[in-house]
Amino acid sequence: MRAVWLRQFGPPSNLVLGDAPNIKRDSPSLSLIDVAYANITFVETQIRAGNGPFPVNLPMIPGNGVGGWLDGRRVVASLNGSGGYAEQAAGGEVFEVPDGLALDDAVALLADGRTATLLTDAAAIQPGERVLILAAAGGVGTLLTQLALRAGAEVTGAASHFKHDVVTSLGATATNYELKRPGRSSLVFDGVGGEVARRAFEALEPGGRMLSYGLASGAWADISAEEAGARDVTLVRAGRPTREHTERALRSGLRPVIGQRFALEEAAAAHAAIEARATTGKTLLVVQGE
């Protein structure tokens, strides 16, 4: 089978298409998936560069989320940290794709949908709240925007100027990362970190809440519990998503924004686009298609 290999940490060009042995069904319990689409996450670009949040052994086939066919059924699966950028994938946690949900949308919801569901559960959004979402045009951000609007919040989404159309198309107000006049917020979802998160924190009203879940800037929000307490701001910790979060996301009616698709052999270009902040919504690898 065809697969994308990472043999040495480094730039996107280190992702190289090659051959890999077909996976043998050596156990009746083995979930052997013919992959149609592979999900790409920002964390995977960090792993490729050698800056990932957990150790990996090389050589490896990257990719932790796929969608395709398992014994004729449409499924998506979270793997065990690797093996997704390939024509076949094995193991992991498998979910049936509900009727009426396109397979590519299901793959786009697999990681980002469960994260957005987890975060909004933890935030307990109230009708009329003023919510600020950083990286609102990204995979998680576009879903957080939909969920916050469903809850009756007034949503402002921060994104690069050329991505504002994505934010406004979802029904939110768009703003730049400078946050010069964002107004006071009662809740911030922070997928950026760094100085942008600092500005968002300073725009929170007393009694507000902040959930940090990403570091697109390269650094987490540097805000201590003591500093937050002095401003009467709660730093909410969401914990880890469960199987239930994934199942709810797949049945939620959320429509992910799939901003770009790359062929399997274009995995390096996909990683480069994500790192250049040139993408919107979710990025998928089209392995075999439907």
Side-chain angles (χ1 to χ4, degrees), residues 27-39:
S27 167
S29 62
L30 178 67
S31 299
L32 181 57
I33 298 167
D34 292 318
V35 178
Y37 304 98
N39 173 31

Side-chain angles (χ1 to χ4, degrees), residues 115-257:
T115 299
T117 302
L118 169 74
L119 293 171
T120 51
D121 280 358
I125 301 170
Q126 300 300 309
E129 276 202 283
R130 295 177 300 281
V131 177
L132 174 61
I133 298 174
L134 307 183
V140 175
T142 52
L143 300 176
L144 285 172
T145 299
Q146 293 177 56
L147 288 169
L149 289 168
R150 279 187 185 181
E154 299 177 12
V155 180
T156 297
S160 301
H161 185 74
F162 75 95
K163 302 180 182 182
H164 281 191
D165 285 351
V166 175
V167 177
T168 57
S169 72
L170 298 172
T173 300
T175 188
N176 293 325
Y177 284 124
E178 289 76 13
L179 302 178
K180 291 182 179 179
R181 291 182 296 275
R184 286 291 179 182
S185 304
S186 54
L187 173 62
V188 169
F189 289 106
D190 166 35
V192 175
E195 287 302 312
V196 174
R198 164 68 56 180
R199 290 193 289 271
F201 169 73
E202 292 172 352
L204 272 168
E205 63 187 19
R209 310 178 313 286
M210 186 169 186
L211 290 87
S212 292
Y213 68 91
L215 63 165
S217 67
W220 289 104
D222 184 20
I223 300 165
S224 68
E226 292 75 17
E227 186 178 6
R231 295 197 59 242
D232 191 23
V233 168
T234 301
L235 302 178
V236 180
R237 308 300 181 190
R240 296 182 62 83
T242 65
R243 183 178 181 90
E244 183 210 5
H245 290 109
T246 305
E247 292 173 339
R248 283 169 53 200
L250 292 173
R251 290 169 171 77
S252 64
L254 291 170
R255 293 303 174 189
V257 175

Side-chain angles (χ1 to χ4, degrees), residues 25-85:
R25 190 187 294 274
D26 53 7
S27 167
S29 62
L30 178 67
S31 299
L32 181 57
I33 298 167
D34 292 318
V35 178
Y37 304 98
N39 173 31
I40 301 180
T41 65
F42 179 73
V43 169
E44 289 165 11
T45 69
Q46 295 178 305
I47 292 171
R48 187 218 69 241
N51 302 318
F54 50 83
V56 299
N57 296 318
L58 300 183
M60 69 176 293
I61 298 170
N64 188 53
V66 299
W69 298 274
L70 172 62
D71 298 329
R73 296 176 288 126
R74 298 189 313 147
V75 300
V76 292
S78 294
L79 308 178
N80 296 313
S82 64
Y85 298 2

Side-chain angles (χ1 to χ4, degrees), residues 89-105:
E93 191 173 24
V94 177
F95 302 85
E96 297 276 349
V97 177
D99 292 342
L101 180 62
L103 183 56
D104 54 354
D105 283 347

Side-chain angles (χ1 to χ4, degrees), residues 1-3 5 18-26 30 32-35 61 83 86-90 288:
M1 68 173 176
R2 299 185 307 151
W5 287 96
D19 292 327
N22 285 342
I23 301 171
K24 295 182 179 180
R25 190 187 294 274
D26 53 7
L30 178 67
L32 181 57
I33 298 167
D34 292 318
V35 178
I61 298 170
E87 291 180 324
Q88 290 182 313
Q288 300 178 74

